[in-house]
Amino acid sequence: MHLRITLVAAARSSSLLDERFDEDRPLAAAGWQEAERAIPAYAHLAGAELRYCSPTMRCRETGDVLGLRPIAQPALRDCDMGRWRGRTFQEVAASEPRAVDAWLADPHAGPHGGESLFSFILRIGEWLDTRPADGGDQGGALIAAVVEPTVLRAAVVYALKAPPHTYWRVDAHPLSSVTLTGRAGDWMLSMDR
């Protein structure tokens, strides 16, 4: 049985220059407005049999604005950034340049004391592969999830069976989306409108 999983990146919680690793902030005023403008584009997801979100405040709020009333999934949390949590990339690069270089070059590295990129991608892939496949009018469940942009990127890499370093080549803007269709271990990427 095939699934259709649409992942929507959460609206903004801060300006791009103030984005911090693994931080749980509410939506910024601009994020609320962007999410409200996106309601028509995502109205069809309200009919999803299962509606999830990353456990951050901005993901829950984005899901609520979009009318999804999602259930938080701990497995969809952002990458555990260890001691870098709450700091900007610029702050970490200035204080630990070698550690940042190692982290960017080696997907198995975890110089921050948290989760490696490789482990993060596998965790998100495991979540995808364990979704229930029953229900739906066309033989499979429709699932929607509002996630952190990092989670969307990891899901794309996993679904395409791409090398982990390609994660750095996937860009996920606030309120962008991707749909994955298939079943455990056999995913196809559908480009959303």
Side-chain angles (χ1 to χ4, degrees):
M1 210 168 292
H2 282 69
L3 296 169
R4 183 173 180 82
I5 302 175
T6 298
L7 302 172
V8 179
R12 286 187 287 166
S13 61
S14 62
S15 73
L16 186 59
L17 294 176
D18 194 35
E19 269 193 31
R20 297 174 181 277
F21 288 119
D22 195 19
E23 189 172 49
D24 191 5
R25 288 185 181 182
L27 286 179
W32 277 101
Q33 293 166 356
E34 291 167 353
E36 287 172 344
R37 285 192 301 270
I39 291 170
Y42 293 116
H44 68 285
L45 295 179
E49 289 91 344
L50 301 167
R51 296 177 303 276
Y52 300 115
C53 68
S54 295
T56 59
M57 193 177 308
R58 81 177 184 162
C59 289
R60 290 189 308 267
E61 290 177 346
T62 300
D64 288 343
V65 170
L66 296 177
L68 301 179
R69 301 169 82 179
I71 298 168
Q73 292 280 284
L76 290 177
R77 69 191 178 282
D78 206 346
C79 186
D80 176 359
M81 297 305 291
R83 72 177 177 279
W84 293 355
R85 185 173 200 266
R87 297 170 67 193
T88 67
F89 179 82
Q90 291 78 9
E91 290 169 347
V92 175
S95 65
E96 300 183 51
R98 286 190 184 134
V100 169
D101 289 345
W103 176 62
L104 294 173
D106 180 3
H108 296 279
H112 42 61
E115 194 172 25
S116 72
L117 179 61
F118 183 77
S119 296
F120 173 55
I121 292 168
L122 286 181
R123 173 169 51 83
I124 300 306
E126 182 176 301
W127 182 86
L128 288 171
D129 286 347
T130 58
R131 293 308 86 211
D134 52 332
D137 295 348
Q138 292 148 348
L142 172 61
I143 298 172
V146 177
V147 297
E148 292 296 328
T150 55
V151 171
L152 191 147
R153 293 166 67 189
V156 167
V157 171
Y158 182 83
L160 295 177
K161 299 179 182 175
H165 68 273
T166 58
Y167 173 89
W168 304 116
R169 300 286 185 218
V170 178
D171 200 5
H173 298 281
L175 295 165
S176 60
S177 66
V178 66
T179 298
L180 305 174
T181 57
R183 60 180 178 271
D186 186 21
W187 296 102
M188 290 180 52
L189 182 106
S190 297
M191 303 307 273
D192 291 333
R193 294 182 205 170

